[in-house]
């Protein structure tokens, strides 16, 4: 039975059209996915359904939920529906919970605000719901605060709040995007189970086609505020009638053309490196306990090699990266680049620093918005003993911008004039400009949409082939690592558990943990049409 | 939580020690002889010598510091040179005016600022918000002595509801004392309320944009319920900081208002002591104020931990 019917829904915010004539249906016990790139309007569709739009919006069309017209229902009635009949789960579990209230109070609030049952029963129900989402009260008492839980556990609390009153429709907006693959798999399983057990309808919003293909009964592909293709998931992915669907699919499984690595002489050498962090004291005057984030790690990267470093959050990959870049001292072991130590006599070794550059994840936060591109990308010049000046400087800027596919004129613009993908190109230009030997990419494409991500991966591959660059590519995303590396290191709890060529490791993982990661990662189905796309090597 | 309190207590003790050393050094060891400074340039040498002995200036610096600190710990703050009365008695008398005045003003400012800030934040950009924000601009801009004189003009001289100044003392009855402090407290509270309102408003607005506020709405809370249940407590941290700072200021910074209303408060005491070069009084009052500020900060720290569970586990 159709529970939610959206017909010809259009939305404008302060006169700017956001959605154009969206129509879709969701039946009880069914998972319907909305997919598309950022700005396609999928979250806005969800917020319109929830009646949680920002001020200054105007809507037309109809959203009918079990006979109730949601766009015109008065606000008090809508408040009554939210939480009771329609629940919602959000993308960012780290910030979706109130930090000053216990998880028990927050789950109970859903029940109490609707006066569904008296407080003592509500507490009992909160306990039951937390058990259902995998947080048994013996280990996770109701008195816990959100900051005492991990991201995945917090997402379970958010889900518990959303399902406490057994809503008939659950809207999940990118519920696993901020989570590790193994946690993602658990949360997706949980959502599937809830749909099956309660006959709940699930509107699942995700940019990840692999997640969709695994979960959804029905798929709606959105672009620029429109649904360009919809139908049963398997059929949509098999037929891909709209070219945009095909583009998304191909970009999702994009394989960059790396060429053959000219790996000969070792460049980066990490020998028995350990890194400790002090933890808070247990007693006011007790000794400071230490946490070993990186535990006697050793590896080598040869010149021209593209190496991936994967692992879940907290495994120590970022700590290791900071040590390699010489940003923090190590508590043991030695890191050298072309034979020179990155840390010498208690100071970072500048001679080595100028041979390494890093590209970060967030293309929006990693630039000073007040500087022009020319100044932004020449920042690494301060590492040089004799930085180029005058026309030499201009030439260097132009070369770097051309190398990443931008124009020399872009040097005079401010960063806000560029899209996310262009910003990441600028970040790469900033890394290239002092002609480093090693570039570290720290989740450098994780924030990008699939099609832009494919372009950036191609750019990285081109640059590596053209300049013989060496890459250390850190990511939690296995499919990205697979497409851009020759070799993969898998890190877990401060140790590298597997270190083998990319093709081998993806073909036949050795370590149980690597297998666990691979199994947890959602897979795109292999459809015959899609295999026509270039798919070399692996 | 206990670890947090112990840690804050240790930092309180260290702050007090450092403050006492700084005050001692500035007042007693700084260039120039305190005795000849107190007596002025025309003093007779034997008078200066007598005062030096009286002040114990012929002892070693360490002995003087220890006897000063030891005296304060046992309630002996020395004897005022000008008035020839124990300093501790003078301070106690003034404290009975200044402390109630500061608390009164702080209560008023909080009572005004909380509702006004919440009101404005809930109506962001609307006419109510504009009115409140405009009023706070005015409140910050108006000099409090001018405002105090206006209060006297209207409520004391024209309406005759309050007396224009002076303090009858608490022995004449609680309400009499409160009545005498009312106009000064209002004059003191106005600019503080304006500042606090702005902090409350902007802090709440920050919180209203947080993800968990959206989560609360998705649970079925109305906007108002979300604001009260989830917004307010999260918005309190910056507000508590400002309240702590304001209390310290109100305790000693009321000097102008004390002058306008002829109140025998701490501000006037320290002002008179400075003009009469009564270093013993100055030293003790300053130390006392430092003590008050540090204790208030300690209480603010405890309030932080009560509001935010994340601070209890972090040490």
């Amino acid at each position: 039975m159709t529970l939610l019917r959206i017909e010809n829904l259009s939305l404008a915010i302060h006169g700017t059209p956001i959605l154009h004539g969206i129509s879709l249906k969701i039946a009880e016990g069914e998972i319907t996915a909305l997919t598309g790139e950022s700005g396609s309007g999928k979250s806005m569709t969800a917020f319109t359904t929830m009646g949680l739009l920002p001020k200054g919006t105007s809507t037309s069309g109809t959203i009918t939920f079990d006979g109730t017209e949601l766009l015109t229902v008065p606000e008090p009635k809508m408040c009554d529906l939210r939480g009771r009949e329609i629940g919602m789960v959000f993308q960012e579990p780290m910030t979706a919970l109130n930090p000053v209230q216990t998880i028990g109070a927050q789950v109970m609030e859903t029940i109490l605000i609707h006066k569904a049952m008296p407080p003592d029963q509500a507490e009992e129900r909160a306990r039951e719901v937390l058990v259902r989402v995998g947080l048994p009260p013996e280990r996770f008492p109701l008195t816990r605060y959100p900051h005492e839980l991990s991201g995945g556990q917090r997402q379970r609390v958010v889900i518990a709040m959303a399902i406490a009153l057994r809503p008939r429709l659950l809207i999940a907006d990118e519920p696993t995007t901020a989570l590790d693959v193994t946690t993602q798999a658990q949360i997706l399983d949980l959502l599937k189970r809830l749909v099956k057990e309660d006959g709940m309808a699930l509107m699942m919003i995700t940019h990840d086609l692999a997640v969709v293909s695994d979960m959804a009964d029905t798929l709606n592909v959105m672009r620029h505020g429109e649904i360009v293709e919809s139908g049963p998931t398997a059929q949509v992915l098999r037929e891909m009638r709209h070219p945009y669907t095909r583009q998304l699919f191909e970009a999702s499984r994009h394989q960059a053309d790396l060429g053959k690595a000219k790996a000969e002489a070792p460049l980066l050498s990490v020998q028995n490196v350990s890194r400790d962090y002090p933890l808070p004291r247990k007693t006011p005057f007790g000794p400071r306990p230490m946490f070993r984030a990186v535990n006697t790690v050793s590896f080598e990267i040869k010149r021209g090699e593209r190496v991936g470093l994967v692992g879940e959050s907290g495994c120590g990959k970022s700590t290791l990266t900071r040590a390699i870049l010489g940003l923090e001292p190590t508590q043991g072991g030695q890191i050298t680049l072309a034979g020179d130590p990155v840390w010498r006599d208690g100071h970072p070794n500048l001679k080595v620093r100028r041979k390494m550059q890093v590209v970060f994840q967030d293309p929006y936060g990693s630039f000073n918005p007040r500087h022009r591109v020319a100044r932004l990308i020449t920042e690494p010049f301060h590492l040089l003993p004799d930085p180029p000046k005058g026309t030499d400087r201009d030439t260097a800027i132009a070369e770097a911008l051309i190398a990443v596919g931008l124009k020399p004129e872009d040097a005079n613009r401010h960063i806000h004039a560029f899209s996310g993908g262009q910003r990441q190109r600028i970040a790469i230009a900033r890394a290239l400009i002092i002609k480093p030997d090693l570039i570290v990419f720290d989740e450098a494409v994780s924030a990008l949409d699939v099609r832009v991500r494919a372009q950036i991966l191609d750019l990285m591959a081109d640059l590596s082939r053209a300049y013989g660059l060496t890459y250390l590519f850190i990511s939690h995303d296995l499919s990205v690592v697979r497409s851009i590396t020759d070799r993969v290191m898998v890190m877990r709890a401060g140790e590298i558990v597997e270190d083998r060529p990319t093709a081998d490791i993806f073909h036949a993982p050795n370590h149980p943990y690597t297998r666990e990661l691979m199994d947890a990662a959602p897979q795109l189905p292999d459809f015959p049409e899609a295999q026509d796309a270039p798919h070399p090597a692996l | 939580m206990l670890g947090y309190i112990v840690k804050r207590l240790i930092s309180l003790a260290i702050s007090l020690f450092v403050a006492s050393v700084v005050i001692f050094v500035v007042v007693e060891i700084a260039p120039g002889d305190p005795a000849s400074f107190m007596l002025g340039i025309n003093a007779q040498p034997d008078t200066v010598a007598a005062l030096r002995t009286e002040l114990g200036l012929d002892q070693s610096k360490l002995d003087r510091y220890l006897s000063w600190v030891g005296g304060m710990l046992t309630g002996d703050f020395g004897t005022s040179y000008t008035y020839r009365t124990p300093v501790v008695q003078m301070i106690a008398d003034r404290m009975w005016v200044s402390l109630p005045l500061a608390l009164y003003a702080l209560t008023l400012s909080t009572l005004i600022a909380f509702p006004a800030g919440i009101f404005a934040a809930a109506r962001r950009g609307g006419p109510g918000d504009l009115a409140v924000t405009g009023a706070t601009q005015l409140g910050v801009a108006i000099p409090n002595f001018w405002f105090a004189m206006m209060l006297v003009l209207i409520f004391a001289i024209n309406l005759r509801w309050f007396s224009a100044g002076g303090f009858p003392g608490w022995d004449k009855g609680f309400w009499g004392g409160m009545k005498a402090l009312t106009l000064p407290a209002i004059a003191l509270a106005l600019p503080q309320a304006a500042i606090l309102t702005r902090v409350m408003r902007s802090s709440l607005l920050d919180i209203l944009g947080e993800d968990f506020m959206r989560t609360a709405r998705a649970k079925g809370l109305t906007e108002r319920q979300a604001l009260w249940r989830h917004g307010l407590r999260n918005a309190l941290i910056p507000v508590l900081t400002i309240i702590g700072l304001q209390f310290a200021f109100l305790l000693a910074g009321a000097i102008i208002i004390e002058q306008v209303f002829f109140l025998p408060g701490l501000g006037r005491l320290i002002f008179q002591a400075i003009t009469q070069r009564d270093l013993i009084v100055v030293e003790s009052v300053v130390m006392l104020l430092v003590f008050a500020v540090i204790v208030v900060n300690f209480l603010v720290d405890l309030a932080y931990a009560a509001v935010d569970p994340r601070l209890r586990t972090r040490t």
Side-chain angles (χ1 to χ4, degrees), chain A residues 351-366:
Chain A
K351 195 175 152 214
V352 172
R353 271 299 277 116
R354 67 179 72 113
K355 291 185 198 159
M356 289 193 282
Q357 283 295 304
V358 61
V359 177
F360 292 107
Q361 169 172 5
D362 185 1
Y364 294 91
S366 56

PDB file of all heavy atoms in Angstrom, chain A residues 351-366:
ATOM      1  N   LYS A 351      64.948  20.719   4.902  1.00  0.00           N
ATOM      2  CA  LYS A 351      65.451  20.191   3.637  1.00  0.00           C
ATOM      3  C   LYS A 351      64.527  19.074   3.125  1.00  0.00           C
ATOM      4  O   LYS A 351      64.314  18.926   1.921  1.00  0.00           O
ATOM      5  CB  LYS A 351      66.858  19.639   3.891  1.00  0.00           C
ATOM      6  CG  LYS A 351      67.655  19.379   2.638  1.00  0.00           C
ATOM      7  CD  LYS A 351      69.071  18.953   3.003  1.00  0.00           C
ATOM      8  CE  LYS A 351      69.642  18.053   1.919  1.00  0.00           C
ATOM      9  NZ  LYS A 351      70.521  17.024   2.424  1.00  0.00           N
ATOM     10  N   VAL A 352      63.977  18.306   4.067  1.00  0.00           N
ATOM     11  CA  VAL A 352      63.078  17.219   3.693  1.00  0.00           C
ATOM     12  C   VAL A 352      61.658  17.738   3.485  1.00  0.00           C
ATOM     13  O   VAL A 352      60.961  17.319   2.567  1.00  0.00           O
ATOM     14  CB  VAL A 352      63.106  16.123   4.784  1.00  0.00           C
ATOM     15  CG1 VAL A 352      62.040  15.086   4.528  1.00  0.00           C
ATOM     16  CG2 VAL A 352      64.472  15.477   4.814  1.00  0.00           C
ATOM     17  N   ARG A 353      61.282  18.683   4.330  1.00  0.00           N
ATOM     18  CA  ARG A 353      59.919  19.214   4.248  1.00  0.00           C
ATOM     19  C   ARG A 353      59.598  19.741   2.856  1.00  0.00           C
ATOM     20  O   ARG A 353      58.489  19.609   2.363  1.00  0.00           O
ATOM     21  CB  ARG A 353      59.717  20.341   5.267  1.00  0.00           C
ATOM     22  CG  ARG A 353      59.239  19.934   6.622  1.00  0.00           C
ATOM     23  CD  ARG A 353      57.892  19.244   6.595  1.00  0.00           C
ATOM     24  NE  ARG A 353      56.765  20.179   6.565  1.00  0.00           N
ATOM     25  CZ  ARG A 353      55.916  20.278   5.579  1.00  0.00           C
ATOM     26  NH1 ARG A 353      56.044  19.535   4.504  1.00  0.00           N
ATOM     27  NH2 ARG A 353      54.911  21.120   5.627  1.00  0.00           N
ATOM     28  N   ARG A 354      60.576  20.357   2.203  1.00  0.00           N
ATOM     29  CA  ARG A 354      60.264  20.948   0.914  1.00  0.00           C
ATOM     30  C   ARG A 354      60.155  19.912  -0.186  1.00  0.00           C
ATOM     31  O   ARG A 354      59.805  20.237  -1.306  1.00  0.00           O
ATOM     32  CB  ARG A 354      61.299  22.040   0.572  1.00  0.00           C
ATOM     33  CG  ARG A 354      62.695  21.579   0.328  1.00  0.00           C
ATOM     34  CD  ARG A 354      63.599  22.759  -0.027  1.00  0.00           C
ATOM     35  NE  ARG A 354      63.862  23.595   1.143  1.00  0.00           N
ATOM     36  CZ  ARG A 354      65.064  23.711   1.697  1.00  0.00           C
ATOM     37  NH1 ARG A 354      66.106  23.066   1.214  1.00  0.00           N
ATOM     38  NH2 ARG A 354      65.228  24.478   2.746  1.00  0.00           N
ATOM     39  N   LYS A 355      60.465  18.670   0.131  1.00  0.00           N
ATOM     40  CA  LYS A 355      60.286  17.617  -0.871  1.00  0.00           C
ATOM     41  C   LYS A 355      58.967  16.873  -0.685  1.00  0.00           C
ATOM     42  O   LYS A 355      58.678  15.919  -1.389  1.00  0.00           O
ATOM     43  CB  LYS A 355      61.431  16.613  -0.770  1.00  0.00           C
ATOM     44  CG  LYS A 355      62.766  17.193  -1.205  1.00  0.00           C
ATOM     45  CD  LYS A 355      63.802  16.111  -1.183  1.00  0.00           C
ATOM     46  CE  LYS A 355      65.198  16.670  -1.175  1.00  0.00           C
ATOM     47  NZ  LYS A 355      66.126  15.666  -0.655  1.00  0.00           N
ATOM     48  N   MET A 356      58.197  17.291   0.342  1.00  0.00           N
ATOM     49  CA  MET A 356      56.920  16.617   0.592  1.00  0.00           C
ATOM     50  C   MET A 356      55.815  17.652   0.620  1.00  0.00           C
ATOM     51  O   MET A 356      55.982  18.723   1.181  1.00  0.00           O
ATOM     52  CB  MET A 356      56.940  15.950   1.974  1.00  0.00           C
ATOM     53  CG  MET A 356      57.814  14.751   2.060  1.00  0.00           C
ATOM     54  SD  MET A 356      57.450  13.894   3.584  1.00  0.00           S
ATOM     55  CE  MET A 356      58.297  14.878   4.768  1.00  0.00           C
ATOM     56  N   GLN A 357      54.686  17.329   0.041  1.00  0.00           N
ATOM     57  CA  GLN A 357      53.539  18.211   0.131  1.00  0.00           C
ATOM     58  C   GLN A 357      52.314  17.373   0.451  1.00  0.00           C
ATOM     59  O   GLN A 357      52.317  16.162   0.255  1.00  0.00           O
ATOM     60  CB  GLN A 357      53.334  18.965  -1.186  1.00  0.00           C
ATOM     61  CG  GLN A 357      54.315  20.109  -1.362  1.00  0.00           C
ATOM     62  CD  GLN A 357      54.115  21.193  -0.309  1.00  0.00           C
ATOM     63  OE1 GLN A 357      53.033  21.738  -0.148  1.00  0.00           O
ATOM     64  NE2 GLN A 357      55.167  21.488   0.438  1.00  0.00           N
ATOM     65  N   VAL A 358      51.266  18.055   0.929  1.00  0.00           N
ATOM     66  CA  VAL A 358      50.079  17.312   1.326  1.00  0.00           C
ATOM     67  C   VAL A 358      48.837  17.981   0.750  1.00  0.00           C
ATOM     68  O   VAL A 358      48.784  19.200   0.605  1.00  0.00           O
ATOM     69  CB  VAL A 358      50.008  17.186   2.876  1.00  0.00           C
ATOM     70  CG1 VAL A 358      49.937  18.553   3.516  1.00  0.00           C
ATOM     71  CG2 VAL A 358      48.823  16.342   3.322  1.00  0.00           C
ATOM     72  N   VAL A 359      47.860  17.177   0.380  1.00  0.00           N
ATOM     73  CA  VAL A 359      46.558  17.675  -0.074  1.00  0.00           C
ATOM     74  C   VAL A 359      45.512  17.121   0.881  1.00  0.00           C
ATOM     75  O   VAL A 359      45.451  15.912   1.094  1.00  0.00           O
ATOM     76  CB  VAL A 359      46.257  17.216  -1.518  1.00  0.00           C
ATOM     77  CG1 VAL A 359      44.868  17.682  -1.940  1.00  0.00           C
ATOM     78  CG2 VAL A 359      47.305  17.744  -2.472  1.00  0.00           C
ATOM     79  N   PHE A 360      44.699  18.029   1.451  1.00  0.00           N
ATOM     80  CA  PHE A 360      43.749  17.603   2.473  1.00  0.00           C
ATOM     81  C   PHE A 360      42.367  17.342   1.901  1.00  0.00           C
ATOM     82  O   PHE A 360      42.080  17.607   0.739  1.00  0.00           O
ATOM     83  CB  PHE A 360      43.641  18.669   3.567  1.00  0.00           C
ATOM     84  CG  PHE A 360      44.886  18.806   4.364  1.00  0.00           C
ATOM     85  CD1 PHE A 360      45.711  19.905   4.213  1.00  0.00           C
ATOM     86  CD2 PHE A 360      45.256  17.825   5.267  1.00  0.00           C
ATOM     87  CE1 PHE A 360      46.864  20.031   4.951  1.00  0.00           C
ATOM     88  CE2 PHE A 360      46.403  17.948   6.009  1.00  0.00           C
ATOM     89  CZ  PHE A 360      47.214  19.052   5.845  1.00  0.00           C
ATOM     90  N   GLN A 361      41.504  16.869   2.800  1.00  0.00           N
ATOM     91  CA  GLN A 361      40.169  16.463   2.384  1.00  0.00           C
ATOM     92  C   GLN A 361      39.272  17.625   1.998  1.00  0.00           C
ATOM     93  O   GLN A 361      38.643  17.605   0.954  1.00  0.00           O
ATOM     94  CB  GLN A 361      39.495  15.687   3.527  1.00  0.00           C
ATOM     95  CG  GLN A 361      38.025  15.447   3.289  1.00  0.00           C
ATOM     96  CD  GLN A 361      37.428  14.525   4.331  1.00  0.00           C
ATOM     97  OE1 GLN A 361      38.092  14.135   5.280  1.00  0.00           O
ATOM     98  NE2 GLN A 361      36.195  14.162   4.155  1.00  0.00           N
ATOM     99  N   ASP A 362      39.224  18.622   2.861  1.00  0.00           N
ATOM    100  CA  ASP A 362      38.168  19.623   2.746  1.00  0.00           C
ATOM    101  C   ASP A 362      38.573  20.737   1.798  1.00  0.00           C
ATOM    102  O   ASP A 362      39.374  21.594   2.143  1.00  0.00           O
ATOM    103  CB  ASP A 362      37.863  20.207   4.128  1.00  0.00           C
ATOM    104  CG  ASP A 362      36.688  21.164   4.072  1.00  0.00           C
ATOM    105  OD1 ASP A 362      36.132  21.329   2.972  1.00  0.00           O
ATOM    106  OD2 ASP A 362      36.340  21.720   5.112  1.00  0.00           O
ATOM    107  N   PRO A 363      38.013  20.768   0.581  1.00  0.00           N
ATOM    108  CA  PRO A 363      38.409  21.813  -0.353  1.00  0.00           C
ATOM    109  C   PRO A 363      37.852  23.173   0.047  1.00  0.00           C
ATOM    110  O   PRO A 363      38.227  24.178  -0.521  1.00  0.00           O
ATOM    111  CB  PRO A 363      37.815  21.348  -1.685  1.00  0.00           C
ATOM    112  CG  PRO A 363      36.696  20.460  -1.325  1.00  0.00           C
ATOM    113  CD  PRO A 363      37.010  19.869   0.012  1.00  0.00           C
ATOM    114  N   TYR A 364      36.971  23.208   1.036  1.00  0.00           N
ATOM    115  CA  TYR A 364      36.399  24.489   1.445  1.00  0.00           C
ATOM    116  C   TYR A 364      37.158  25.087   2.621  1.00  0.00           C
ATOM    117  O   TYR A 364      37.337  26.282   2.710  1.00  0.00           O
ATOM    118  CB  TYR A 364      34.916  24.318   1.796  1.00  0.00           C
ATOM    119  CG  TYR A 364      34.126  23.940   0.577  1.00  0.00           C
ATOM    120  CD1 TYR A 364      33.927  22.611   0.238  1.00  0.00           C
ATOM    121  CD2 TYR A 364      33.661  24.929  -0.282  1.00  0.00           C
ATOM    122  CE1 TYR A 364      33.239  22.276  -0.914  1.00  0.00           C
ATOM    123  CE2 TYR A 364      32.977  24.596  -1.442  1.00  0.00           C
ATOM    124  CZ  TYR A 364      32.770  23.266  -1.754  1.00  0.00           C
ATOM    125  OH  TYR A 364      32.120  22.938  -2.900  1.00  0.00           O
ATOM    126  N   GLY A 365      37.604  24.239   3.548  1.00  0.00           N
ATOM    127  CA  GLY A 365      38.225  24.768   4.759  1.00  0.00           C
ATOM    128  C   GLY A 365      39.731  24.950   4.662  1.00  0.00           C
ATOM    129  O   GLY A 365      40.332  25.558   5.545  1.00  0.00           O
ATOM    130  N   SER A 366      40.369  24.419   3.613  1.00  0.00           N
ATOM    131  CA  SER A 366      41.836  24.441   3.641  1.00  0.00           C
ATOM    132  C   SER A 366      42.442  25.613   2.891  1.00  0.00           C
ATOM    133  O   SER A 366      43.629  25.608   2.590  1.00  0.00           O
ATOM    134  CB  SER A 366      42.384  23.107   3.136  1.00  0.00           C
ATOM    135  OG  SER A 366      41.887  22.816   1.859  1.00  0.00           O
TER     136      SER A 366
END
